Each structure stands twice: as structure tokens, then as C-alpha cells.
Amino acid sequence: MPWPTPVVLFAVVALVSISMASAWGLGTLSGIKAIGAVAVVAAITGWAGFWTQSAGGSTESAGAGAAQQMTVGAKDYSFTPAAVTVKANSAVQITLTNGATQAHNWTVQGLDQAYTTGDILAGKTGTVSFTPSKTGTFKIICTIAGHESFGMVGQLIVQ
Ligand SMILES: [Cu+2]
């Protein structure tokens, strides 16, 4: 496994920190503090995450990564985007932003259960989280009476 660039950078910055601290007469202790600061910055900028991912190798499993987060807009009477594509066996979080004048919901049919945001009032947002366990194309509707026939339909494409 090649050394990840962040680790090399970290080592270089750490050595430079000690050298500079010594040159300024601050001593090794200050250099070590500087390394601590660099470590914090590295963690914040995601280097730590990069390192963890690299070290993890092929152990990708459900729940290990961030959820597949998507936002869908609701209007009278449509979803935007109508089609949402996600990966199977990986957590999905859909946020419905209701920009319409009445309540709507985003409900996917055909999975192991009907996952739904529940009715979201006009101007509000709501989320639904689930992990699709099978691939395929599943119908999305707003289940409020009449809305499906008015065009509130879409597709969840699970790959
Ligand atoms: Cu609706």
C-alpha cells in the first residue's frame, strides 16, 4: 500500500514545526504543541478521514459511509427531481422540501415497506431514512387523495 499523501505531508509539517521552534529558541516542547495544532487542522480538513478510509481497505459495509442524502422538492402536483437514483444496501436519506400551497408526502412503494416522509405541511421540510435492500425501479407517489392522479409520481431507482 502506498503511503497516503496526507501522512507524508503530516510528517514533513511535523519535522518543520520542530525545526522552526528550535530555531526560534522555543524548544522542542513548543514544536510538539505545533504538531498538535497541525493534527487538529488535519483532522478538520478531513485528512484523518482519508487515512481511515485508506487503512480500511476493502471493508466497506452498510452503515460505514455517510448516508446518501438527497433533497426533493414538492409542488402542486409534482416532485423535482421526479427520479432519484441510489445504491442498494446503503443508507438513504431523502429530504422533502414542500414549496407548495398544501401538504404533500414522498412515499416509495414496493420495497419491504412503504417508506414515507409523512405529510409535510406547505413551506415545511421533512425527511425519511431507509436502506433499500434490493435493486430495481420503485414507484414514488404522494399518497394524499387525488395527488397521484394529478401527477405526483416519481421513481426511486436502486442500483
Ligand atoms: Cu401531494
Side-chain angles (χ1 to χ4, degrees):
M1 185 180 74
W3 284 88
T5 306
V7 174
V8 176
L9 282 174
F10 180 86
V12 170
V13 173
L15 286 173
V16 170
S17 300
I18 292 182
S19 304
M20 288 180 73
S22 298
W24 293 338
L26 298 174
T28 306
L29 187 62
S30 296
I32 291 170
K33 284 180 185 170
I35 293 170
V38 170
V40 169
V41 172
I44 291 170
T45 54
W47 290 357
F50 182 94
W51 168 239
T52 304
Q53 272 192 335
S54 300
S58 61
T59 58
E60 286 178 37
S61 57
Q68 308 178 75
Q69 298 179 320
M70 268 152 279
T71 298
V72 174
K75 288 190 293 192
D76 303 329
Y77 294 87
S78 63
F79 294 116
T80 306
V84 174
T85 301
V86 298
K87 290 195 195 88
N89 301 310
S90 184
V92 174
Q93 185 182 74
I94 302 291
T95 298
L96 185 69
T97 300
N98 187 359
T101 61
Q102 59 184 301
H104 292 296
N105 64 62
W106 186 99
T107 303
V108 58
Q109 300 180 315
L111 290 171
D112 55 312
Q113 66 181 78
Y115 294 102
T116 181
T117 57
D119 290 354
I120 307 301
L121 298 177
K124 303 289 187 184
T125 63
T127 63
V128 57
S129 299
F130 57 96
T131 300
S133 58
K134 56 183 175 182
T135 59
T137 299
F138 304 93
K139 191 174 186 181
I140 293 164
I141 64 170
C142 172
T143 62
I144 294 174
H147 292 196
E148 177 183 359
S149 60
F150 290 161
M152 291 198 81
V153 296
Q155 289 181 323
L156 178 73
I157 300 159
V158 183
Q159 295 178 331

